[in-house]
Amino acid sequence: METAATLPVATGARRTPRTNKIPPGRVRVEEGPFTDRVEIEALTISDDARPVVRGRIRNSVDVSELIVLELQADFYDARGTFIGTGLQVFLDSHAGAGDDPLSFAIRSPVPVSRGASAILTIPQLANE
């Protein structure tokens, strides 16, 4: 059974950068302790009033199934100023290496003018 929840909260010990130099309309994946265990594909950010980071993520290394997968998107306006954080958590997704990817959509918690960008992180990943 797959459970996904989108929550506009900040978590983890990572310090969210208050500014960035990512070009508008782009998403950067921040390297961390779990980024080498997954493959992220079709990563985009919408140009809506409340932008959404979308993509697919696949468990690429671990044979055991995912128990918890947490994705965090820090959103920035066109000038690179931090505007908020969105979070999506998958619980008991049963996604093992070689399985179909999980689709995700993380919405900005607040409206922003056109040209937003984002930094995607993986604060938590746990296998059986």
Side-chain angles (χ1 to χ4, degrees):
M1 178 177 155
E2 180 180 314
T3 304
T6 302
L7 308 169
V9 297
T11 64
R14 176 184 163 271
R15 290 195 100 166
T16 300
R18 301 326 278 170
T19 61
N20 81 50
K21 296 182 189 284
I22 301 170
R26 299 278 176 95
V27 182
R28 176 174 59 87
V29 176
E30 184 173 277
E31 295 298 317
F34 306 118
T35 52
D36 64 339
R37 294 171 53 188
V38 298
E39 294 173 7
I40 299 172
E41 54 191 46
L43 190 58
T44 62
I45 185 168
S46 66
D47 196 26
D48 303 329
R50 285 190 54 209
V52 178
V53 170
R54 288 186 171 86
R56 293 187 300 268
I57 189 164
R58 179 188 314 267
N59 180 0
S60 63
V61 177
D62 296 307
V63 176
S64 60
E65 296 176 345
L66 292 174
I67 296 172
V68 176
L69 172 63
E70 183 178 303
L71 302 172
Q72 177 177 315
D74 296 327
F75 291 89
Y76 297 83
D77 66 17
R79 295 175 306 205
T81 303
F82 176 72
I83 58 168
T85 296
L87 184 72
Q88 183 162 357
V89 178
F90 293 91
L91 301 173
D92 296 322
S93 68
H94 302 289
D99 289 344
D100 290 336
L102 299 170
S103 295
F104 62 88
I106 307 168
R107 183 174 300 280
S108 170
V110 296
V112 63
S113 58
R114 301 272 190 212
S117 61
I119 296 175
L120 182 70
T121 60
I122 305 169
Q124 185 174 335
L125 188 153
N127 297 79
E128 286 185 341

